[in-house]
Amino acid sequence: MRPLRWLPLAPATVLLVLFLAGPIAYCAYIAFTNMQLTGSSSADFVGFENFRRAFSDPKFRNAVWLTLVFTVLSSIVGQNTLGLALAGLMRRASKPVRTLTGALVIAAWVLPEIVAAFLLYAFFRREGTLNAVLDWLHLPSQNWLFTLPILAVSFANVWRGTAFSMLIYSAALSEIPKEITEAAEVDGANGVRKVIHVTLPMIRRSIGTNLMLNTLQTLSVFGLIWAMTRGGPGDRSTTLPVFMYDQAFNKSLIGYGTAVALLLLLVGALFSVVYLRLARAEV
């Protein structure tokens, strides 16, 4: 009778194998071939040649660096810090302020990625809103998508994704017993010390979960960057997803592009392992 206990899991297991494990295994196979979109339809096994090509390619190394910059700025620092700050401020704000702030922040989150990208493109472009405000204030303006493209797309990702962090931290802060914060205040802890020694240790698991989910989401951002800069000018905003797309579909190098995708998957797995270990560590 015991094998029958696993019978309800069989449909889910079959679906995971067909639509998750199967495609991943096929992509892993393609990464070790020279498959192309054009030319010969056959794909020859080339071993680790695609991976050797990637690590010797200056454009790949540039994409890795820009991916790390984009992830640190927009996820680890931007969304995480701003989301925690908004959650803390909203706890002390009046109900109308909380409702208005929450609606504005979540509105950016629920927008389709392509819509958010065009809104931020209109904001940062040479004739856009930001420069119009700077000109009105008699401050120097510039073409932000040309001079600081990676910062522009990082800001766009922060603007769009902060609501997720805010919601996680709002739920985590609401679970902190008032007795603990009141005891800290009685002991003379000010606002900064209370945050460092009480609030952050109490929500450390939520911090780890939020960082892991935000980092994985940010590592896979493609549409936002492609719509705003197409990885340019040159390759100054070409992150790994953009580089992978360019190699696989613009240059028809499916095998090479898939190898880059596997390396990106490895980077995401490494971040996940680090966050999970931090979340399980004792305070």
Side-chain angles (χ1 to χ4, degrees), residues 125-240:
R125 67 192 296 261
R126 186 68 183 93
E127 299 82 10
T129 307
L130 178 58
N131 282 334
V133 173
L134 293 175
D135 292 338
W136 182 72
L137 295 174
H138 302 289
L139 296 175
S141 60
Q142 55 185 306
N143 188 348
W144 302 97
L145 295 174
F146 182 82
T147 57
L148 298 170
I150 195 65
L151 293 181
V153 295
S154 297
F155 178 88
N157 195 49
V158 171
W159 177 80
R160 183 172 183 268
T162 296
F164 182 77
S165 297
M166 184 188 73
L167 293 174
I168 287 183
Y169 289 136
S170 294
L173 292 175
S174 66
E175 297 297 323
I176 299 178
K178 292 184 178 180
E179 294 80 6
I180 295 180
T181 57
E182 291 173 354
E185 292 173 357
V186 171
D187 290 339
N190 56 22
V192 176
R193 292 181 62 188
K194 188 165 61 175
V195 169
I196 295 176
H197 297 289
V198 178
T199 303
L200 294 182
M202 292 289 292
I203 65 171
R204 64 184 179 85
R205 293 188 182 277
S206 296
I207 293 174
T209 300
N210 179 67
L211 281 172
M212 181 176 66
L213 295 177
N214 265 334
T215 299
L216 294 178
Q217 185 276 331
T218 301
L219 285 173
S220 64
V221 169
F222 169 77
L224 190 73
I225 300 175
W226 187 258
M228 289 183 66
T229 65
R230 290 186 178 268
D235 55 4
R236 291 167 57 194
S237 62
T238 300
T239 58
L240 280 175

Side-chain angles (χ1 to χ4, degrees), residues 8 19 102 112 176 275:
F19 298 106
I176 299 178
Y275 290 145

Side-chain angles (χ1 to χ4, degrees), residues 19-278:
F19 298 106
L20 184 62
I24 291 177
Y26 183 61
C27 287
Y29 163 73
I30 293 176
F32 291 92
T33 69
N34 60 356
M35 181 180 290
Q36 299 185 22
L37 281 180
T38 59
S40 175
S41 58
S42 62
D44 298 325
F45 185 80
V46 295
F48 289 93
E49 180 60 32
N50 289 324
F51 297 95
R52 285 194 292 266
R53 175 179 178 180
F55 287 112
S56 63
D57 188 352
K59 292 186 177 181
F60 171 80
R61 295 196 294 269
N62 175 72
V64 172
W65 167 248
L66 290 178
T67 301
L68 294 176
V69 171
F70 178 67
T71 302
V72 170
L73 288 180
S74 65
S75 175
I76 298 175
V77 176
Q79 294 181 21
N80 184 61
T81 305
L82 185 57
L84 179 58
L86 285 173
L89 292 173
M90 287 178 66
R91 288 194 72 193
R92 302 182 179 183
S94 61
K95 185 175 181 179
V97 173
R98 290 199 304 269
T99 302
L100 179 60
T101 304
L104 291 175
V105 176
I106 293 176
W109 185 41
V110 299
L111 282 176
E113 187 178 44
I114 191 65
V115 175
F118 277 113
L119 287 175
L120 270 298
Y121 172 79
F123 180 76
F124 282 113
R125 67 192 296 261
R126 186 68 183 93
E127 299 82 10
T129 307
L130 178 58
N131 282 334
V133 173
L134 293 175
D135 292 338
W136 182 72
L137 295 174
H138 302 289
L139 296 175
S141 60
Q142 55 185 306
N143 188 348
W144 302 97
L145 295 174
F146 182 82
T147 57
L148 298 170
I150 195 65
L151 293 181
V153 295
S154 297
F155 178 88
N157 195 49
V158 171
W159 177 80
R160 183 172 183 268
T162 296
F164 182 77
S165 297
M166 184 188 73
L167 293 174
I168 287 183
Y169 289 136
S170 294
L173 292 175
S174 66
E175 297 297 323
I176 299 178
K178 292 184 178 180
E179 294 80 6
I180 295 180
T181 57
E182 291 173 354
E185 292 173 357
V186 171
D187 290 339
N190 56 22
V192 176
R193 292 181 62 188
K194 188 165 61 175
V195 169
I196 295 176
H197 297 289
V198 178
T199 303
L200 294 182
M202 292 289 292
I203 65 171
R204 64 184 179 85
R205 293 188 182 277
S206 296
I207 293 174
T209 300
N210 179 67
L211 281 172
M212 181 176 66
L213 295 177
N214 265 334
T215 299
L216 294 178
Q217 185 276 331
T218 301
L219 285 173
S220 64
V221 169
F222 169 77
L224 190 73
I225 300 175
W226 187 258
M228 289 183 66
T229 65
R230 290 186 178 268
D235 55 4
R236 291 167 57 194
S237 62
T238 300
T239 58
L240 280 175
V242 177
F243 180 80
M244 173 186 64
Y245 176 86
D246 179 63
Q247 296 296 320
F249 298 103
N250 288 342
K251 298 180 180 178
S252 301
L253 301 175
I254 293 294
Y256 182 43
T258 306
V260 174
L262 286 183
L263 293 174
L264 179 60
L265 183 64
L266 178 61
V267 172
L270 292 175
F271 271 109
S272 299
V273 170
V274 171
Y275 290 145
L276 289 174
R277 291 182 65 87
L278 290 176

